[in-house]
Amino acid sequence: MIGFFWLLSSIFAGAAFDRLTATILVFVFEVIVNYVMILAAFSMSPSALVRLFTALIAGGVLISMAANGQRRWWQHNFSFFGNRPR
């Protein structure tokens, strides 16, 4: 969801809504998300849950890489893998 809204804010830079329109949009979005979550909860199996968590982790990594503003962020972050503070 964060990636989706980041993409929308990048596409529609500077767009603004009044309070009523924003409230209605948030309400409609929440109704849709809650409905999908209820349907997903009824059809969830352990193997589907593992696939969902795997996709969530991979998607989060990809979105965080795309949204990062630093050019060489990976050189700094990957250099600390495996290092424990002493």
Side-chain angles (χ1 to χ4, degrees), residues 1-76:
M1 287 176 46
I2 290 174
F4 175 72
F5 283 115
W6 173 79
L7 180 65
L8 283 180
S9 69
S10 296
I11 293 172
F12 301 108
F17 298 107
D18 62 339
R19 284 189 186 188
L20 178 64
T21 306
T23 303
I24 291 171
L25 287 174
V26 168
F27 178 74
V28 169
F29 185 75
E30 287 296 322
V31 166
I32 292 169
V33 168
N34 286 332
Y35 181 72
V36 169
M37 289 296 167
I38 289 170
L39 289 179
F42 283 129
S43 65
M44 193 62 61
S45 67
S47 61
L49 194 60
V50 169
R51 285 193 303 267
L52 177 67
F53 286 156
T54 304
L56 201 82
I57 290 170
V61 168
L62 291 174
I63 289 171
S64 66
M65 285 190 301
N68 197 321
Q70 299 173 351
R71 287 191 69 171
R72 298 195 174 171
W73 62 269
W74 53 272
Q75 289 179 344
H76 175 74

